[in-house]
Amino acid sequence: SSAAPRSFAPLASKSRSMLWRGEVTSCWESRWLIVRPADDNNWGILHAGTVPIETSLALENLLRDEAHGTDGIALELPGVAPLSEQSLRHLLRAVRSSGAVLKRLCCAGCGLGDAAAGAIVDFVSEQALPLEELDVSGNRLTAMGLAQLCIAFERHPAQIYPRRDAGAGICAPCRLHADDNAIDRPLEVLELLGRRGLGPCPGAGCSRRRCLLGASLHLVGGLG
């Protein structure tokens, strides 16, 4: 689940900086700017476990220059580890400062714990348009971190989840990849969240564009 969605179709537009590279693609009738570390080994993104200020500024500048004319961006950070809470906050702050809309965030295998989940929670609560996909698989999140995420989507101040368009028949939750974390007794956790009205939809019978339960989150692949 750490890879970009397979329906991405590369278009002609590409950009590159010393630290980041971006590519505009078509994705489910939309145009997204896919942003990744410029070096496949993530060298330069992390220094002594932190994201230097110049890395965040380079990301912000790339987004300001290249996100115009797109419907949003996907920030792909799989395997950028260890990614601390502070570093993740710096990167998400750069996204917010650029004015770009974050559509997909992939932090698979980044060594994230519950504190870093708090950085995602704060960003989700502040972004005015929906995040469509969040991949936090292969990290160290516990039931507490999962609960934080569920609350952020279900109780967004503007109630933008699920994403709705009655004319197009869309009732789409954010797709959450959270498998391979440190969530003890996952079935009990999901049952407890469901009793409190916070549980993600397990996805049976649903599609990417429509959730039969009208949930805020769609759990992809379970918690195993």
Side-chain angles (χ1 to χ4, degrees):
S1 59
S2 61
R6 293 181 180 178
S7 53
F8 284 167
L11 301 179
S13 177
K14 294 184 179 180
S15 63
R16 190 177 181 95
S17 72
M18 293 295 293
L19 295 172
W20 301 95
R21 69 177 187 264
E23 182 175 359
V24 177
T25 73
S26 62
C27 179
W28 307 298
E29 302 178 354
S30 299
R31 284 168 54 88
W32 288 10
L33 175 68
I34 314 302
V35 179
R36 298 181 174 89
D39 190 306
D40 290 335
N41 293 317
N42 302 317
W43 295 340
I45 299 303
L46 289 175
H47 179 70
T50 63
V51 172
I53 185 64
E54 57 265 28
T55 301
S56 299
L57 289 176
L59 175 61
E60 180 179 343
N61 290 335
L62 176 67
L63 296 180
R64 287 184 184 275
D65 292 341
E66 302 296 334
H68 295 294
T70 68
D71 298 296
I73 70 163
L75 184 57
E76 300 288 328
L77 302 171
V80 178
L83 189 62
S84 68
E85 174 195 3
Q86 182 182 21
S87 295
L88 184 55
R89 286 188 184 277
H90 286 330
L91 295 177
L92 293 176
R93 187 178 301 119
V95 174
R96 185 164 53 248
S97 298
S98 74
V101 177
L102 186 60
K103 294 288 191 177
R104 169 177 157 89
L105 174 63
C106 178
C107 294
C110 290
L112 303 183
D114 291 343
I120 298 174
V121 164
D122 290 344
F123 180 87
V124 167
S125 299
E126 294 170 3
Q127 181 166 270
L129 294 174
L131 178 68
E132 296 185 17
E133 190 158 11
L134 173 61
D135 189 342
V136 290
S137 59
N139 284 290
R140 297 182 289 103
L141 302 182
T142 70
M144 183 64 71
L146 176 64
Q148 289 182 65
L149 292 172
C150 291
I151 291 171
F153 285 93
E154 182 66 31
R155 298 179 181 173
H156 189 280
Q159 297 184 326
I160 58 175
Y161 298 98
R163 178 171 54 93
R164 297 181 184 273
D165 184 337
I170 295 175
C171 178
C174 176
R175 293 170 59 82
L176 174 66
H177 304 258
D179 54 298
D180 194 20
N181 272 280
I183 300 171
D184 188 33
R185 295 183 291 185
L187 294 180
E188 294 181 27
V189 171
L190 291 175
E191 181 181 355
L192 177 60
L193 289 171
R195 289 203 301 267
R196 298 187 177 183
L198 300 171
C201 173
C206 298
S207 69
R208 181 178 290 274
R209 294 167 60 91
R210 186 165 184 82
C211 174
L212 298 178
L213 300 181
S216 297
L217 280 173
H218 184 129
L219 188 61
V220 181
L223 296 176

